[in-house]
Amino acid sequence: MANLRYSQTADFDNVKAIIVLGTGFKNNKPTPVLASRLDKSASIANKNPQTLLILTGGVGFNKTVSEASVMRAYLLDKYRLKNPMALESKSISTELNLKNSQMILANANIQLNEPIVIVTSDFHTLRALAIAKKQGFGDVMTAGAVTPVYIRYNNWLREYFAFVSGWVLGEY
């Protein structure tokens, strides 16, 4: 039986990996939504200094660097994290973020049934959890980063349609 959980406040102690889902960057800097996800992941990583951080996001349209590399630079510059980091820099969707992260987990000898945290935005946790469950993650938790107020309602509305679309297309 899969152990799937969501929390904004859990301590997330003794996790084996933290997967941070990308969402966009501009001028090689995280957008406010991505920065919120990275800040959330840093607070979890600081409590778990040996835990592998997997940063996800490929090279988007009109970009020259991967989102994962921008995320790494932000975390190192702002938080000076010592955690091991792996870049999943080929994906452009949540489904691919999680699918491609599985190879990184396997290479680090981390099984899908071990405690793994997926860090995403508060509006995105339900869909991320559903996709992870379908892909075979067995002990996964989502940590929801707070979405800035000025874009919160647009993102919640967009996510509603993405959730329905994902269900219709069989993502979960």
Side-chain angles (χ1 to χ4, degrees):
M1 181 78 164
N3 188 10
L4 307 171
R5 298 165 283 183
Y6 163 76
S7 178
Q8 280 189 285
T9 58
D11 289 329
F12 301 110
D13 293 329
N14 301 314
V15 296
K16 295 292 184 178
I18 302 164
I19 301 172
V20 187
L21 301 180
T23 187
F25 66 95
K26 191 173 188 175
N27 300 322
N28 292 341
K29 300 286 183 203
T31 62
V33 174
L34 182 56
S36 181
R37 292 180 186 187
L38 293 167
D39 296 340
K40 182 72 151 185
S41 71
S43 70
I44 299 167
N46 279 325
K47 294 176 185 173
N48 298 276
Q50 301 304 313
T51 297
L52 174 65
L53 267 165
I54 301 175
L55 309 172
T56 68
V59 179
F61 181 71
N62 279 341
K63 305 287 187 192
T64 58
V65 298
S66 72
E67 185 170 14
S69 65
V70 169
M71 294 163 76
R72 182 178 186 272
Y74 177 90
L75 288 171
L76 290 175
D77 184 51
K78 185 170 182 179
Y79 293 101
R80 308 273 188 243
L81 291 180
K82 303 290 187 210
N83 296 67
M85 294 185 197
L87 305 184
E88 186 291 297
S89 57
K90 297 190 180 345
S91 61
I92 55 170
S93 70
T94 301
E95 185 176 19
L96 289 174
N97 290 151
L98 295 175
K99 187 175 193 168
N100 294 344
S101 292
Q102 290 181 37
M103 186 180 303
I104 296 169
L105 291 167
N107 288 339
N109 295 313
I110 299 171
Q111 307 301 311
L112 294 183
N113 63 351
E114 294 185 86
I116 297 169
V117 176
I118 298 170
V119 179
T120 188
S121 297
D122 48 12
F123 66 84
H124 188 242
T125 55
L126 182 61
R127 188 161 58 101
L129 201 58
I131 293 168
K133 179 181 177 185
K134 181 170 182 182
Q135 290 188 11
F137 285 81
D139 188 6
V140 69
M141 300 160 273
T142 55
V146 176
T147 303
V149 173
Y150 69 95
I151 57 174
R152 181 174 298 154
Y153 302 106
N154 286 342
N155 282 320
W156 278 98
L157 182 63
R158 191 184 106 238
E159 186 65 15
Y160 169 79
F161 289 107
F163 189 85
V164 171
S165 170
W167 178 72
V168 168
L169 297 173
E171 278 186 325
Y172 32 86

